Amino acid sequence: MTEAEDRKPQSDEARSAYDSEITSEFAIPKGLAVAKGGTEPEATSEFAVPDGLDVAQSAAGESEGSAFSTPRTYSARQAPPAFTPPGGVPRVNLTKDVPWQDRMRTMLRMPVAERPALEVAQKAEEVAPAVPRVLDLTLRIGELLLAGGEGAEDVEAAMFAVCRSYGLDRCEPTVTFTLLSISYQPSLVDDPLTASRTVRRRGTDYTRLAAVFRLVDDLSDPENSFSLEDAYRRLAEIRRNRHPYPTWVLTSASGLLAGAASVLVGGDLLVFVAAAIGAMLGDRLAWLCAGRGLPEFYQFTVAAMPPAAMGVALTLASVDVKASAVITGGLFALLPGRALVAGVQDGLTGFYITAAARLLEVLYLFVGIVVGVLVVLYFGVKLGAQLNPDAALSISERPLIQIAASMLLSLTFAVLLQQERSTVLAVTLNGGVAWSVYGAMHYPGGISPVASTAVAAGLVGLFGQLLSRYRFASALPYTTAAIGPLLPGSATYFGLLSIAQNEVDKGLVSLTKAAALAMAIAIGVNLGSEISRLFLRVPGGATGGRRAAKRTRGF
């Protein structure tokens, strides 16, 4: 046995003390007294409770909950009263006879904590539908509305109405240019549920838009018993419905629209025919590009070329005709008035991101039209075509013919927007009234075209909103086509012609005028819509009634 082995202790206790002494670097020095902590480890974290601080201990066996778990002081049977501001919240006087758009828009403009509580109306199912399916139906309905060109606030109102019809009152819909999302939280202590949907494609079909509005109206009616399956079935039927007008009717309507617009700015029968032919050729080329999958920018560029080429060709052939009227008529069929009105409306109602995106879309489409017309005008000027920008000053005043042309323009515009046949007559009359007001103010009255356009567009928005309220439908089918005669087609053309003839300053002035006219149209339509709400009872405390508690019903 070696000397080291002789020093090694032989008993178990001695061997254990010996091993800990030679292996652990944290061995307690001899003579240092350390209080024993029982089974608790000696090393503690920096968040340990200091000695002497009394902390209420949880009951044995109680597990630590998540951030969304119910507080220990919460009791479902003895819940604390809902918070009510000291002055109360506005008393709501809206009834079921008021359009659901007004009721839901009023709710959306309130903070969540101040919205009146929902009186749950159980649907046909014995058991309430699953929340994810309700949110999915809501997003699908919102997608159809947004893709059809509806304003962001109206889309949110429709989504909110669908959720409330199935008992989901604590929901927050959010609409942007291409994204729809909705979040639902049953209470402050439950986990929220969020769903979203992206709008990939857009199309102009106001018949489908009106059908979706009728579906939302039926769902919002407490007297109707609509199950979730019935709503899905109706939504599928709406998606499967074919467009009300065939392709050849749309092409013919495009030509008639351009011809009516050319007469509106001083053209005769020959100009009408030339503008109609050019617009129909442009429409067919645009359909061909769309079938090849080209973006909408190039479709507008190609569609703007045939009307401009028709005007240049007539000038080169020394035909005694107003080429400017031919080209202007073709531009009327292409100007994106629908997107412009929707973009400005979103901006005026506080949806600035969506408004910026819509106006950027309008800018891109307008640039596409500019490129197509400028290419043709440039080569036309190089070939010796005598195009006179000052021809804009010689528009003749023919009240009866121009009113008839404006009504024809509105009618064909309504067909291009795929409107229901029952709304075509109303929008045609609305367009005739709009041009009559504009002509009376601008020509005999001598008022500036921007102010005259704003007033006429305001009347369009007013009448359109009243008609939509009468039928509990969207206002777009009654307003979009009616503003067709007011679109700044001539100002756009003469601005582009001046630029093509190297008169950039003059062209920019004319294009600025066109932009001012477009903004006047959009603001006038929105202002008329807001004024129309004055004919109904205004929700809130403006009636002089008392301030109400938070759980006041009425929606």
Side-chain angles (χ1 to χ4, degrees):
M1 185 177 293
T2 61
E3 182 178 359
E5 292 174 347
D6 291 340
R7 293 197 302 268
K8 190 173 183 180
Q10 300 300 321
S11 63
D12 293 339
E13 295 180 0
R15 187 181 298 111
S16 176
Y18 178 81
D19 292 339
S20 63
E21 182 180 357
I22 64 175
T23 58
S24 174
E25 298 180 0
F26 301 97
I28 301 174
K30 295 179 179 180
L32 180 62
V34 179
K36 299 297 182 180
T39 58
E40 185 176 351
E42 296 177 3
T44 59
S45 69
E46 59 185 17
F47 299 102
V49 180
D51 295 336
L53 180 61
D54 294 333
V55 180
Q57 301 295 327
S58 59
E62 184 177 357
S63 60
E64 183 178 358
S66 68
F68 299 99
S69 60
T70 305
R72 299 185 182 94
T73 59
Y74 180 81
S75 173
R77 296 185 178 181
Q78 298 178 355
F83 170 75
T84 301
V89 296
R91 181 185 178 186
V92 180
N93 294 323
L94 293 179
T95 63
K96 65 180 182 180
D97 295 330
V98 178
W100 60 265
Q101 296 96 316
D102 282 348
R103 292 183 277 129
M104 296 303 108
R105 187 181 292 110
T106 305
M107 293 284 286
L108 284 173
R109 292 178 179 179
M110 289 182 180
V112 179
E114 297 183 3
R115 291 176 184 169
L118 174 68
E119 289 182 344
V120 180
Q122 191 67 32
K123 296 296 177 181
E125 298 105 326
E126 296 181 358
V127 181
V131 173
R133 296 198 65 199
V134 175
L135 298 185
D136 177 70
L137 174 68
T138 302
L139 290 173
R140 291 177 183 273
I141 290 176
E143 179 189 11
L144 287 179
L145 293 176
L146 187 62
E150 193 65 65
E153 187 179 34
D154 293 326
V155 175
E156 284 195 359
M159 295 172 64
F160 192 69
V162 174
C163 283
R164 285 182 63 86
S165 66
Y166 287 102
L168 308 184
D169 58 334
R170 297 183 62 88
C171 60
E172 282 294 334
T174 304
V175 176
T176 58
F177 185 58
T178 58
L179 181 65
L180 297 166
S181 64
I182 187 167
S183 178
Y184 170 69
Q185 188 172 8
S187 66
L188 296 176
V189 296
D190 290 322
D191 296 344
L193 181 63
T194 302
S196 62
R197 196 173 184 88
T198 302
V199 179
R200 301 291 182 185
R201 299 178 58 186
R202 284 181 171 80
T204 304
D205 190 345
Y206 282 2
T207 299
R208 178 179 297 175
L209 190 70
V212 176
F213 261 78
R214 284 194 294 269
L215 173 60
V216 177
D217 184 38
D218 292 339
L219 291 175
S220 303
D221 190 353
E223 297 180 358
N224 290 337
S225 297
F226 255 92
S227 67
L228 196 63
E229 297 302 328
D230 293 336
Y232 268 109
R233 190 177 301 109
R234 281 190 56 178
L235 190 62
E237 293 175 356
I238 293 172
R239 285 182 174 273
R240 286 195 301 265
N241 283 346
R242 299 179 62 86
H243 297 307
Y245 306 104
T247 304
W248 67 269
V249 173
L250 299 180
T251 302
S252 302
S254 178
L256 292 175
L257 189 153
S262 65
V263 174
L264 205 62
V265 294
D268 53 11
L269 181 60
L270 181 59
V271 171
F272 180 94
V273 174
I277 294 175
M280 287 190 289
L281 290 176
D283 181 77
R284 286 292 87 198
L285 289 177
W287 276 97
L288 182 62
C289 293
R292 297 295 186 269
L294 286 178
E296 200 171 12
F297 174 86
Y298 300 106
Q299 298 177 27
F300 272 76
T301 301
V302 172
M305 289 183 176
M310 186 68 67
V312 171
L314 291 176
T315 303
L316 291 175
S318 300
V319 179
D320 187 14
V321 67
K322 285 187 176 181
S324 60
V326 176
I327 301 175
T328 299
L331 291 180
F332 264 88
L334 298 175
L335 293 178
R338 173 182 58 87
L340 176 67
V341 172
V344 175
Q345 180 180 355
D346 288 342
L348 294 175
T349 52
F351 295 84
Y352 300 113
I353 296 178
T354 307
R358 288 186 188 271
L359 293 178
L360 187 61
E361 178 191 30
V362 172
L363 178 62
Y364 270 100
L365 298 180
F366 188 77
V367 169
I369 298 172
V370 167
V371 171
V373 175
L374 275 181
V375 169
V376 176
L377 292 182
Y378 177 79
F379 285 104
V381 171
K382 291 297 182 181
L383 293 175
Q386 300 297 323
L387 300 174
N388 183 17
D390 296 331
L393 302 176
S394 60
I395 297 178
S396 58
E397 299 180 18
R398 300 171 296 176
L400 296 180
I401 295 178
Q402 289 178 328
I403 292 175
S406 66
M407 296 177 66
L408 177 61
L409 193 153
S410 298
L411 186 147
T412 52
F413 202 177
V415 172
L416 288 177
L417 293 174
Q418 304 279 3
Q419 291 190 198
E420 293 179 306
R421 292 179 174 85
S422 59
T423 64
V424 171
L425 177 60
V427 75
T428 301
L429 296 176
N430 202 5
V433 171
W435 179 260
S436 300
V437 173
Y438 169 80
M441 294 181 64
H442 178 55
Y443 295 115
I447 301 176
S448 67
V450 176
S452 303
T453 300
V455 173
L459 289 178
V460 168
L462 176 63
F463 294 153
Q465 192 66 232
L466 292 177
L467 287 172
S468 68
R469 289 170 180 274
Y470 174 73
R471 298 193 176 187
F472 283 56
S474 172
L476 287 181
Y478 300 99
T479 57
T480 305
I483 65 172
L486 304 176
L487 292 176
S490 58
T492 302
Y493 162 69
F494 289 110
L496 299 180
L497 180 58
S498 299
I499 293 176
Q501 294 179 343
N502 293 326
E503 298 179 2
V504 180
D505 294 339
K506 190 175 181 179
L508 292 178
V509 170
S510 184
L511 291 179
T512 303
K513 177 183 176 182
L517 291 173
M519 292 296 293
I521 292 172
I523 294 175
V525 169
N526 182 263
L527 182 61
S529 300
E530 294 295 333
I531 292 176
S532 67
R533 296 193 178 99
L534 298 177
F535 291 92
L536 298 175
R537 289 183 296 175
V538 180
T543 57
R546 62 177 178 84
R547 303 286 281 183
K550 179 176 179 290
R551 299 190 63 84
T552 300
R553 273 77 171 182
F555 283 92

